[in-house]
Amino acid sequence: MTEEIETGSPTKNWTTIGWILGVIPSLLLFVSGVMKFIQPAGFEEGLTHMGWRPEQMYAIGAVEILCVLIFLFPKTAVLGAILLTGYMGGAIATHVRVGDIVIVQVLIGMVFWLSLWLRDPRIRQLIPFRT
C-alpha cells in the first residue's frame, strides 16, 4: 500500500471510495443550493442570523449548484474542487462572522479534496504522502 501511495498508481478501491466521498458532500451542497431557490418556511430566520437577504440566495444557490456540477464531471473535477474550496471559504467566513462553529464547512472542503486525491493520480503526485 505504501508503494501505491508513493508511485501514485490508482487502485479500483481508491477510485470507488473517492467517488463515494465526493458524491456525499456534493449531494449535501446540491440540496443546499436547491433550498436556496425553494426557501421553505423558517428559511428567512436562518438568513437573518447570517446577515443575508432572501433575494441574495438565488445567485448563491446557482453558484453552489454550478460548482458541484463542475466537480462531479471528471474532466473538470479539479476546477470544481478549486471553486468549491472558494465557496466553502465564503461559508466559513460567514459563520465565523456570526460566531458559529465552522468544523462542518472545513470538513466538507477537506472531503472534496480527499475524494479527488483518491480518484485522480495527478492530484496524488501534487500532494504526495511520504513515508
Side-chain angles (χ1 to χ4, degrees):
M1 178 133 178
T2 303
E3 190 173 311
E4 291 174 1
I5 291 174
E6 289 179 3
T7 60
S9 60
T11 67
K12 185 174 172 99
N13 288 341
W14 282 14
T15 303
T16 302
I17 292 168
W19 273 106
I20 292 168
L21 285 176
V23 166
I24 292 169
S26 293
L27 286 173
L28 290 171
L29 290 185
F30 186 83
V31 169
S32 171
V34 169
M35 288 296 136
K36 287 173 176 66
F37 285 96
I38 296 172
Q39 300 187 6
F43 185 77
E44 193 168 339
E45 293 168 14
L47 292 181
T48 303
H49 168 69
M50 294 292 180
W52 293 101
R53 295 186 317 271
E55 61 272 8
Q56 295 171 310
M57 291 299 102
Y58 300 112
I60 293 173
V63 168
E64 189 171 17
I65 291 169
L66 184 62
C67 290
V68 167
L69 293 176
I70 291 170
F71 174 77
L72 288 174
F73 286 101
K75 289 187 178 190
T76 58
V78 173
L79 174 60
I82 293 167
L83 294 172
L84 285 165
T85 300
Y87 183 84
M88 295 313 297
I92 290 167
T94 297
H95 284 273
V96 166
R97 187 177 58 76
V98 298
D100 287 349
I101 296 173
V102 296
I103 189 69
V104 172
Q105 292 77 17
V106 171
L107 289 175
I108 287 173
M110 291 173 67
V111 169
F112 277 122
W113 280 101
L114 176 60
S115 160
L116 202 53
W117 187 88
L118 287 169
R119 65 184 215 225
D120 190 334
R122 298 171 302 165
I123 301 301
R124 287 195 294 278
Q125 289 175 354
L126 288 172
I127 310 171
F129 285 107
R130 309 258 186 224
T131 57

